[in-house]
Amino acid sequence: MPSSPTEILLPHRPTDTPPPAAVTDSEHHGLFAALRAVPDPRDPRGRRYPLVSVLAVAVCAVLAGACTFAAIADWVRDLDRTAWARLGFTDRVPAATTVWRLLIRVDAQALSTVLASWLLARTTPVTRSGRRWRLVIAVDGKVVRGARLADGRQIHLLSAYDTSTGVVLAQVQIAAKSNEIPAFTPLLRLVAAQLGSLTDVLVVADALHAQTGHAEYLAAAGGHLMVTVKANRPTTFAQLKAVPWAQVPVGARTRDTGHGRTETRTVKAVTVATPGGLGFPYAQQAVRITRTRTVKGRTSRETAYLTVSLPAGQARPADLGTWARAEWHIENRLHYVRDVTLREDAHHARTGNGPAVFATLRNTAVGYHRSNGEPNIARATRRANRRSTDLIDAVTRSYPTTQ
């Protein structure tokens, strides 16, 4: 039996077996070097396991499909001694309780920033195609349904998602008795810190973020905003609906078929030239997107109105249609995967920073596999779990690699 319930010991190795090689300095330039920037919340006395090793285990385990703190501990326990040494352990690894106690105390914001920087450093830069290409960041919030704080409140997180790479650039937790609106600017400040600036960056968001302050902040930072407008801005919404759309020619039309449905999207856009504009700061174009969907012979139609702070010369109707769909990437390619593949809503993490930390780990797993060109995250996590040695090798290297 182990002398302590917080550690697991393997049987003694034969005396003629050489000890496994430890992780070298060159290999530490990968994930390990990045994780050194995360503050250690523990008292310096009695630290049994290096923080970077425990965090690296958490990252690798979630990349391999671990969905709970216990699953993280199980993943590292099942590795051999060589893998333990490469992760910074010797003859013992932390048990589930130790992993849990440490991760719920880690600064979730610092961990999110560090892991986003690591992913960006290893991601191949996106090739710009065409003079109107621009970086599009989708902003959206998500409630972690399985997690509740001591007072019963659910955890609400706001994320900024790079639609070109699949990397979550920043994530913040919504304060108690608040909503996403006050968290928007702090989130974009974190994005600006990751990217260096917001110059020429386009942020797409839902109607909740059709806020004057958001538009003014982005304009001052050199960025642009594209938002859906609904009844929460009644004056602007009425102005958009009052545009003589029947006289505006169709700018772009796309048709998609799949999953038993056919969907046609028609985009119309017009430059706002009336005195006073649309009553929304920096709005350059009024946009109407009509979605016609046919499922099993039944046809439905939905109309969305948007504004964008880019002029027509920099944002053609085809571009606007593409960017409007990019807003859904954060829902379909991130939040849905976190819920269904990585089982976020079924995970009852309720203590300390646990919910936000695990959400960051899930974001990292999705971003890592997306940056490796994986279209199916479930299949990618299964492969990573089968090839744990390859996974450890990949994340400890300082250059981009795929499995």
Side-chain angles (χ1 to χ4, degrees):
M1 293 289 291
S3 60
S4 169
T6 63
E7 65 185 29
I8 299 171
L9 303 179
L10 281 182
H12 296 293
R13 58 175 177 264
T15 56
D16 58 346
T17 302
V23 180
T24 65
D25 289 339
S26 63
E27 291 167 333
H28 274 154
H29 289 313
L31 179 62
F32 284 82
L35 291 174
R36 288 195 186 104
V38 179
D40 195 330
R42 300 172 294 179
D43 190 293
R45 297 169 295 179
R47 294 179 182 176
R48 180 168 296 173
Y49 306 103
L51 175 65
V52 293
S53 296
V54 177
L55 293 178
V57 163
V59 171
C60 290
V62 178
L63 289 178
C67 298
T68 64
F69 295 111
I72 291 174
D74 289 344
W75 182 85
V76 68
R77 182 177 58 190
D78 291 340
L79 299 176
D80 58 26
R81 287 183 180 276
T82 302
W84 281 12
R86 292 184 63 77
L87 290 168
F89 300 109
T90 53
D91 285 338
R92 72 187 97 202
V93 292
T97 52
T98 303
V99 172
W100 173 75
R101 288 193 185 105
L102 181 52
L103 292 183
I104 65 172
R105 296 173 60 194
V106 168
D107 186 331
Q109 187 63 73
L111 182 64
S112 175
T113 300
V114 163
L115 290 177
S117 298
W118 172 67
L119 286 176
L120 288 176
R122 70 178 306 281
T123 300
T124 303
V126 177
T127 303
R128 295 183 175 229
S129 56
R131 63 183 180 87
R132 293 194 308 276
W133 185 93
R134 65 181 58 247
L135 180 62
V136 180
I137 306 298
V139 172
D140 194 25
K142 182 182 185 300
V143 174
V144 185
R145 293 183 177 86
R148 291 183 182 275
L149 298 178
D151 59 3
R153 289 186 297 108
Q154 289 186 306
I155 305 297
H156 192 170
L157 303 171
L158 186 66
S159 304
Y161 179 80
D162 183 345
T163 60
S164 61
T165 63
V167 173
V168 175
L169 300 175
Q171 177 178 273
V172 296
Q173 184 169 329
I174 307 301
K177 299 181 181 179
S178 185
N179 55 46
E180 295 179 18
I181 297 173
F184 185 88
T185 299
L187 177 74
L188 289 188
R189 288 197 183 104
L190 294 173
V191 173
Q194 287 286 1
L195 299 178
S197 77
L198 293 175
T199 303
D200 294 331
V201 171
L202 177 66
V203 175
V204 293
D206 59 24
L208 179 63
H209 296 290
Q211 303 292 327
T212 298
H214 297 358
E216 291 176 341
Y217 171 77
L218 275 169
H224 298 278
L225 180 65
M226 180 175 179
V227 287
T228 303
V229 177
K230 294 184 178 179
N232 61 323
R233 290 196 69 92
T235 301
T236 306
F237 187 53
Q239 290 175 324
L240 287 171
K241 292 183 68 175
V243 171
W245 292 108
Q247 303 173 28
V248 178
V250 174
R253 180 180 282 116
T254 59
R255 187 174 184 271
D256 295 319
T257 302
H259 303 286
R261 66 175 181 263
T262 299
E263 186 170 280
T264 301
R265 300 177 187 84
T266 302
V267 182
K268 292 185 175 184
V270 60
T271 298
V272 180
T274 58
L278 284 171
F280 189 76
Y282 304 99
Q284 295 285 323
Q285 295 188 77
V287 184
R288 190 185 78 171
I289 300 178
T290 304
R291 305 180 183 94
T292 304
R293 178 179 298 182
T294 301
V295 181
K296 296 181 179 179
R298 287 188 165 185
T299 300
S300 61
R301 179 172 294 177
E302 178 185 75
T303 300
Y305 297 96
L306 306 91
T307 66
V308 62
S309 60
L310 286 164
Q314 299 179 36
R316 301 289 178 81
D319 302 322
L320 297 170
T322 300
W323 297 336
R325 295 192 69 182
E327 182 197 337
W328 289 96
H329 287 189
I330 192 171
E331 288 282 354
N332 300 334
R333 301 184 183 183
L334 178 67
H335 293 166
Y336 179 82
V337 175
R338 277 167 47 180
D339 284 343
V340 177
T341 303
L342 300 176
R343 303 184 64 189
E344 181 168 74
D345 284 351
H347 183 204
H348 295 172
R350 301 187 176 188
T351 308
N353 296 333
V357 166
F358 224 111
T360 294
L361 295 173
R362 291 184 174 97
N363 289 340
T364 304
V366 174
Y368 177 87
H369 293 307
R370 293 279 186 220
S371 66
N372 282 347
E374 296 286 355
N376 188 316
I377 303 301
R379 183 170 56 211
T381 56
R382 291 193 297 268
R383 184 187 301 116
N385 191 44
R386 292 194 306 269
R387 304 175 183 176
S388 56
T389 300
D390 293 344
L391 174 63
I392 294 170
D393 289 343
V395 300
T396 54
R397 289 177 183 147
S398 59
Y399 52 87
T401 184
T402 57
Q403 296 181 56

